[in-house]
Amino acid sequence: MNSDLFAAENMARSATAPGMTQQNAKSLKYALDGECYARQGSMIAFRGDLQFEKQGQGVGRFLKRAVTGEGLALMAVRGRGEVWFAHEAANCFIIDLAQGDGITVNGRNVLCFDPSLSYEITVVKGAGMAGGGLFNSVFSGQGKLGVMCEGNPIVIPVSPQAPVFVDTDAVVGWSSSLQTSLHRSQSVGSMIRGGSGEAVQLRLDGEGFVIVRPSELRPEKASGN
């Protein structure tokens, strides 16, 4: 049988080493001999002897808040085999954290991660109840984190001389060392006249980077997964 469908870049190959790798721009593959964590419903295929278990709010470090306003509902994947993760054809990326690194990511952008990473859900300081930036996932330690983004992300450097202001509905993540606060860019007069639609942003100060996507948040579709 002949078809461009069977081009080399579309073919799945057996893993040569354990852990997370890029399958293509829209999916990640995890060669498992133990366990990993992933977004519930993100498994698109697997082979081998694997079990999938929903992580409840009463399990270990997930006790604080296993399901946030960001939609971060997790599952544990355990066993030996290979599993592929994706979500609504979003672009997928692997962030390799070294000891001492830290990144804050919106829960809606988390796809999967190594169990060696420390993970905590926190309230964004200074963000109050503004938009999608209330609860975020903070990852630190050594290991790989799989993230996803609708469209091609924009990575903007942040420096003490040049703070960056981001829409809370567009932000994907930022260096966890950055300081956050709420910024109002719209005048009272403009608000009275109906507003510009850009009233409040998240301000990031310090040294690091922030990742934004080229669109604002759309409500997530209900899923039966």
Side-chain angles (χ1 to χ4, degrees):
M1 187 179 296
N2 295 311
S3 171
D4 290 342
L5 174 65
F6 302 111
E9 60 267 25
N10 296 334
M11 299 299 293
R13 292 180 174 83
S14 297
T16 57
M20 190 187 309
T21 55
Q22 194 93 33
Q23 173 65 39
N24 55 38
K26 307 292 185 181
S27 65
L28 301 179
K29 181 172 77 170
Y30 205 113
L32 202 62
D33 188 4
E35 69 175 2
C36 72
Y37 294 104
R39 180 191 187 95
Q40 283 182 23
S42 64
M43 182 273 290
I44 56 171
F46 75 92
R47 57 188 176 191
D49 183 15
L50 298 178
Q51 293 80 44
F52 300 83
E53 179 185 338
K54 179 179 179 180
Q55 292 298 113
Q57 291 192 359
V59 179
R61 58 184 168 183
F62 302 99
L63 181 61
K64 293 182 70 174
R65 194 177 181 96
V67 181
T68 76
E70 308 279 61
L72 178 56
L74 293 173
M75 63 181 178
V77 186
R78 298 187 176 95
R80 188 171 186 177
E82 296 174 315
V83 56
W84 286 263
F85 298 115
H87 182 69
E88 296 185 349
N91 291 325
C92 298
F93 303 89
I94 297 174
I95 300 174
D96 199 346
L97 280 76
Q99 200 65 43
D101 290 343
I103 186 169
T104 299
V105 183
N106 268 325
R108 63 179 177 252
N109 297 104
V110 174
L111 185 61
C112 56
F113 57 95
D114 289 343
S116 59
L117 291 177
S118 297
Y119 161 77
E120 187 178 11
I121 295 177
T122 63
V123 178
V124 178
K125 292 180 180 178
M129 294 297 293
L134 177 58
F135 290 102
N136 284 272
S137 308
V138 181
F139 292 88
S140 60
Q142 187 169 354
K144 291 183 178 180
L145 166 66
V147 298
M148 56 190 180
C149 176
E150 289 186 2
N152 294 323
I154 304 164
V155 181
I156 307 171
V158 181
S159 69
Q161 299 76 29
V164 177
F165 305 85
V166 297
D167 189 317
T168 57
D169 287 335
V171 65
V172 173
W174 61 87
S175 306
S176 58
S177 59
L178 294 176
Q179 293 79 52
T180 60
S181 60
L182 203 61
H183 175 76
R184 297 186 183 277
S185 61
Q186 186 168 272
S187 67
V188 174
S190 177
M191 293 176 68
I192 292 173
R193 290 190 294 272
S196 65
E198 306 292 345
V200 179
Q201 297 84 39
L202 191 66
R203 172 174 173 154
L204 297 145
D205 288 274
E207 192 78 43
F209 61 87
V210 59
I211 309 163
V212 295
R213 64 183 195 164
S215 64
E216 294 186 346
L217 175 67
R218 294 180 301 178
E220 291 219 14
K221 302 171 187 174
S223 173
N225 291 336

